[in-house]
């Protein structure tokens, strides 16, 4: 395990497991950096909606806008 980061850390290096790499690649449409940014954006959205890291992930509920309904408004 790497040394823990501090709140002032600007860069960090972590070795990704294959599943972690696949998640970031999927989230970034093949781009690890974009995937990392998208995962951060998703967490920011969840946090703004009231989710906190000490809560069960099962407490999250996701709804997706219907494209036809969205476009017709």
């Amino acid at each position: 395990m790497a040394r823990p980061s501090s709140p002032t850390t600007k860069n960090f290096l972590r070795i990704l497991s294959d599943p972690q790499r696949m998640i970031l690649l999927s989230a970034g449409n093949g781009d690890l950096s974009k995937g990392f940014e998208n995962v951060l954006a998703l967490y920011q959205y969840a946090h703004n909606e009231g989710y906190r890291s000490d809560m069960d992930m099962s407490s999250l509920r996701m709804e997706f806008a219907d494209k036809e309904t969205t476009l017709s408004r």
Side-chain angles (χ1 to χ4, degrees):
M1 182 75 169
R3 177 173 59 112
S5 63
S6 75
T8 60
T9 298
K10 294 184 188 232
N11 298 300
F12 62 96
L13 174 65
R14 296 289 186 262
I15 297 172
L16 299 173
S17 67
D18 287 339
Q20 291 170 329
R21 188 179 309 92
M22 294 305 295
I23 289 168
L24 292 178
L25 285 169
S26 178
N29 201 24
D31 182 333
L32 282 173
S33 294
K34 185 65 175 169
F36 181 75
E37 291 171 7
N38 286 340
V39 169
L40 288 177
L42 184 59
Y43 185 83
Q44 180 182 16
Y45 178 80
H47 188 272
N48 290 344
E49 293 296 310
Y51 175 78
R52 297 298 180 262
S53 61
D54 60 347
M55 298 168 69
D56 279 342
M57 295 281 280
S58 62
S59 66
L60 291 171
R61 189 179 89 203
M62 298 181 82
E63 294 181 19
F64 299 94
D66 179 12
K67 289 182 182 179
E68 289 183 27
T69 303
T70 303
L71 293 175
S72 65
R73 290 184 184 180

